[in-house]
Amino acid sequence: MSKKDNGASIILAYLNEKNRPYSAQDVFCNLQKQHGLGKTAVVKAMDLLAQEGKIKEKMYGKQKIYFADQSQFRDVSDADLKAMDKQISELSAEVQTLTQSCRQLDTELKELNSSLTTEEMMAEIQELKAECSGYRERLEKIKSATNHVTPEEKEKVYKERDVYVKEWKKRKRLASDMMNAILEGYPKSKKEFLEEVGVETDEDCMVVLPTT
């Protein structure tokens, strides 16, 4: 594109190709990125093309609209228009079908990309087999052990524990009652009394009494 041309040939070719009305702003926005045309250059070029009769212009309110010279195009009959409409419908249906197909292929591609490859699957299978083998060995060791606790022994231990916890609570309550009786006539604090007689409480030893 020469400096003298100032983008006029590009604009003329664009308007003839699209064959629809545009404002200078529309043409500038559509061609600026690809051809680097400035807005002032576009306005001047379109005014020049209109003056030379290469394109047509019309005023709509305060806005000037430009479009291709229709005399350069052959007349289109009603039959041709119907044929074009039919072709447009067929192409639109084809586009819709292809779009749907592309979406399905894209979904399949995403699923395949997120799936394991054959090599990765084989490696994972080997890891799972090794893990299962370890569990089997551990299970065999447990089965062959001689120190299993029978349900009866387990029940006996729990019963003995309940007896000891009850006795613990009973003695703790008796000791507390005795200490409270003494403290009624003791001139010092409870803490000083415990230090004097050398008594350590469960709390001092950070021992929690079981609930049952």
Side-chain angles (χ1 to χ4, degrees):
M1 181 179 67
S2 64
K3 292 183 178 179
K4 185 177 181 180
D5 180 85
N6 205 25
S9 60
I10 294 175
I11 295 172
L12 178 60
Y14 178 75
L15 290 177
N16 287 335
E17 177 190 358
K18 300 300 181 181
N19 193 20
R20 55 172 294 182
Y22 287 108
S23 67
Q25 178 66 30
D26 294 332
V27 174
F28 164 70
C29 293
N30 296 340
L31 298 180
Q32 190 274 335
K33 185 176 181 180
Q34 183 178 359
H35 298 284
L37 299 177
K39 185 174 181 180
T40 302
V42 170
V43 173
K44 289 182 178 179
M46 296 182 76
D47 285 338
L48 178 62
L49 289 170
Q51 291 173 10
E52 293 176 348
K54 296 180 179 179
I55 62 174
K56 300 297 182 179
E57 65 177 9
K58 280 190 177 182
M59 291 296 299
Y60 287 92
K62 296 182 179 180
Q63 189 175 32
K64 190 180 291 186
I65 300 299
Y66 301 86
F67 51 93
D69 183 6
Q70 299 301 300
S71 63
Q72 64 183 309
F73 304 115
R74 69 179 180 84
D75 292 334
V76 180
S77 64
D78 290 341
D80 291 336
L81 290 174
K82 289 181 180 179
M84 290 180 185
D85 289 339
K86 181 181 179 182
Q87 185 181 14
I88 290 172
S89 297
E90 291 174 351
L91 291 174
S92 297
E94 184 178 355
V95 168
Q96 187 174 2
T97 301
L98 291 173
T99 300
Q100 183 65 26
S101 178
C102 286
R103 289 175 180 171
Q104 292 176 352
L105 291 173
D106 185 58
T107 301
E108 291 179 11
L109 179 60
K110 289 180 179 179
E111 290 177 355
L112 290 173
N113 287 334
S114 62
S115 302
L116 295 175
T117 63
T118 302
E119 292 77 10
E120 291 172 338
M121 187 69 73
M122 292 178 65
E124 185 168 345
I125 290 173
Q126 293 300 321
E127 291 179 3
L128 291 173
K129 285 183 177 179
E131 187 175 350
C132 289
S133 178
Y135 287 144
R136 289 193 189 96
E137 292 179 3
R138 183 179 176 185
L139 182 59
E140 291 299 326
K141 289 180 179 179
I142 293 174
K143 288 181 178 180
S144 61
T146 58
N147 59 344
H148 292 300
V149 178
T150 64
E152 293 77 14
E153 292 174 325
K154 181 180 178 182
E155 182 66 21
K156 179 182 178 182
V157 170
Y158 275 109
K159 287 182 178 180
E160 289 179 351
R161 177 182 180 276
D162 291 339
V163 172
Y164 296 144
V165 169
K166 289 179 181 179
E167 187 65 24
W168 184 355
K169 289 181 178 180
K170 177 182 177 181
R171 296 189 180 191
K172 185 178 180 69
R173 184 173 59 256
L174 290 173
S176 178
D177 293 342
M178 291 172 58
M179 183 171 59
N180 290 334
I182 295 173
L183 288 174
E184 288 180 1
Y186 189 71
K188 300 180 182 179
S189 66
K190 179 180 178 180
K191 181 179 180 182
E192 291 174 320
F193 170 73
L194 293 175
E195 290 177 353
E196 185 174 336
V197 297
V199 174
E200 290 184 348
T201 65
D202 293 337
E203 291 73 20
D204 293 334
C205 299
M206 300 181 68
V207 175
V208 179
L209 184 66
T211 55
T212 56

